[in-house]
Amino acid sequence: MQSVDQTRDWLLSQARPLQTIETVSLLDAAGRVLAADVVATLDVPPHDNSAMDGYAVRAADAANLLPVSQRIPAGSQPQPLAAASAARIFTGAPIPADADAVVMQEQAELQDDGSVRFTAPVSAGQNIRRRGEDIASGQVVLNAGRRLGDADIGLAASIGVAALPVRQSLRVAVFFTGDELVEPGQPLAAGKIYNSNRYWLVPALRRLGCQVLDLGIVPDSLEATRAALREAAASADVVMTCGGVSVGEEDHVKAAVEAEGELQLWKIAIKPGKPLASGRVAEADFIGLPGNPVSGFVTYAVLVRDFLRARMGEAVQGWPQARQLPAAFEWNKPDTKREEFLRVQLREQGGQLVVSRYPNQGSGVLTSCAWADALVRLQPGQRVALGDMVAVYPL
């Protein structure tokens, strides 16, 4: 069996970033993958400005009673500060020439004659946001390969960028094999089960930003599976299936992919899971997940999701950093050959964050995935006692 790390590294090495680039408006860019560095062409802030409402002064004059010589709202262009005076100023407004401090209005007493006295010591530079303090002209503010979040969009707007170059959305075609599968809402005859894989995988792909072509359930026959593969590969960048990738007589996906393209089939040292298929059909990549819903869910989360991210052009930097947290459970029957990924939940106990596991870790227990908010990664043969520190990865 191939290790989890070997499988993940191989998948990432095969991920060919999408080459098509499109330019979209800022409000349409969230969640997309940036295709080129974004470089600032101005300083942010563009001028020294006030960090609060108050009075702009020379610190050397601040011990005196000072007349108010001008009023400076945000967006205005102030005059140089008159000698031995203060300027009423508001948050974000430019600092007038010859002023070197801002006194907050809570530390100012306005006199009947309109002059102002300050009730606290004043030092040069206080309450002033300097030009370029956040961003300097010429600075790379967003790197290519970044999946754009809400703050990234605001950051681009702050330097005057109205649109961003992003990678084309990844097109993923999916279908599900098994004559035993029935869609929710239909009567469940003897020997049938509802198709749960469709209802976690399609939303997961959409949440990742993929365009999903959902071909539904494909009958358990080699001809039907080959036809579905051809249809999927003709319109998608990646084809994904659930089920049929093992070596049973009714597992037709393996033979169909070999007939229509090329296939690498792995037995991975992972629990839950084991079979995972990867290959090509025409110009599309192929990923075959195990049909067991828990195995498919965990394999997708641990191995396949980052392959898809890299395929979208996102910079994927190895494994995410695991959190080391104490276990509020025991694990006394470890698998001696495979890494185990336990479905767990983080909760507070005695004032600290601990890890609680779902009682039934069976590969057919999809309730464990719905309950969990993280996975604990255990090495082959690793036992866990109460209080042991374990490696936790958020779902």
Side-chain angles (χ1 to χ4, degrees):
M1 290 188 290
Q2 191 161 268
S3 75
V4 173
D5 284 335
Q6 289 172 328
T7 305
R8 189 177 188 278
D9 290 345
W10 191 90
L11 282 170
L12 291 179
S13 75
Q14 300 302 301
R16 300 163 295 136
L18 292 166
Q19 296 303 306
T20 303
I21 296 171
E22 55 188 4
T23 300
V24 299
S25 68
L26 287 188
L27 292 179
D28 294 324
R32 302 293 295 273
V33 177
L34 188 63
D37 291 346
V38 176
V39 180
T41 58
L42 49 76
D43 294 325
V44 179
H47 46 251
D48 292 355
N49 70 89
S50 178
M52 56 189 58
D53 295 345
Y55 294 87
V57 299
R58 296 178 185 85
D61 296 335
N64 303 313
L65 186 65
L66 299 175
V68 177
S69 57
Q70 61 177 308
R71 185 176 184 274
I72 312 173
S76 66
Q77 290 296 318
Q79 298 297 314
L81 184 65
S85 76
R88 181 69 167 121
I89 196 168
F90 298 88
T91 303
I95 302 297
D98 299 326
D100 63 6
V102 171
V103 183
M104 67 175 69
Q105 62 186 20
E106 292 82 357
Q107 295 175 346
E109 294 179 348
L110 196 60
Q111 308 300 302
D112 292 340
D113 63 359
S115 60
V116 65
R117 183 188 304 278
F118 303 120
T119 60
V122 178
S123 57
Q126 71 178 44
N127 302 322
I128 294 177
R129 295 186 292 218
R130 296 299 181 185
R131 174 176 178 170
E133 182 178 288
D134 185 13
I135 299 168
S137 180
Q139 177 182 337
V140 175
V141 296
L142 295 170
N143 293 103
R146 183 182 183 90
R147 185 177 293 273
L148 295 164
D150 299 344
D152 298 329
I153 305 304
L155 185 58
S158 76
I159 59 172
V161 173
L164 290 169
V166 296
R167 301 276 184 179
Q168 174 184 287
S169 296
L170 189 69
R171 299 168 300 173
V172 181
V174 298
F175 64 86
F176 308 86
T177 64
D179 286 342
E180 75 279 13
L181 297 179
V182 175
E183 287 297 316
Q186 298 179 8
L188 195 66
K192 303 292 186 179
I193 60 172
Y194 285 119
N195 180 15
S196 59
N197 278 325
R198 182 187 190 190
Y199 293 92
W200 69 258
L201 180 57
V202 171
L205 293 170
R206 288 175 175 166
R207 189 164 54 252
L208 202 59
C210 301
Q211 296 180 28
V212 181
L213 172 63
D214 183 359
L215 301 181
I217 299 171
V218 172
D220 266 337
S221 77
L222 180 60
E223 294 76 15
T225 306
R226 290 184 66 176
L229 282 173
R230 289 193 297 270
E231 178 185 352
S235 55
D237 304 300
V238 178
V239 177
M240 292 186 66
T241 64
C242 284
V245 297
S246 192
V247 292
E249 293 180 6
E250 296 300 319
D251 292 324
H252 299 294
V253 172
K254 178 178 182 292
V257 175
E258 289 174 331
E260 298 293 333
E262 56 181 334
L263 179 70
Q264 180 157 353
L265 181 67
W266 291 299
K267 290 183 178 178
I268 305 170
I270 184 174
K271 184 179 180 180
K274 185 188 287 186
L276 177 71
S278 176
R280 297 285 295 278
V281 178
E283 294 302 311
D285 291 316
F286 172 77
I287 295 289
L289 293 173
N292 182 300
V294 177
S295 298
F297 184 89
V298 171
T299 304
Y300 171 84
V302 173
L303 296 169
V304 177
R305 180 168 54 198
D306 280 354
F307 165 78
L308 296 174
R309 291 173 56 210
R311 191 72 168 78
M312 298 170 82
E314 187 175 353
V316 179
Q317 305 295 333
W319 283 96
Q321 185 66 41
R323 297 183 68 179
Q324 296 292 325
L325 294 172
F329 65 89
E330 295 181 339
W331 192 249
N332 295 317
K333 295 182 179 180
D335 193 294
T336 59
K337 296 181 179 179
R338 295 186 288 172
E339 288 190 36
E340 295 184 85
F341 287 83
L342 307 182
R343 278 78 70 205
V344 299
Q345 200 173 81
L346 308 185
R347 59 184 177 84
E348 280 211 9
Q349 178 179 290
Q352 68 172 338
L353 199 61
V354 300
V355 183
S356 177
R357 73 170 174 87
Y358 195 76
N360 188 343
Q361 292 286 320
S363 60
V365 184
L366 192 56
T367 48
S368 67
C369 298
W371 174 87
D373 56 22
L375 298 172
V376 160
R377 184 183 187 183
L378 300 179
Q379 297 303 308
Q382 182 178 347
R383 297 174 180 271
V384 179
L386 284 173
D388 283 355
M389 302 302 285
V390 291
V392 183
Y393 295 87
L395 278 170

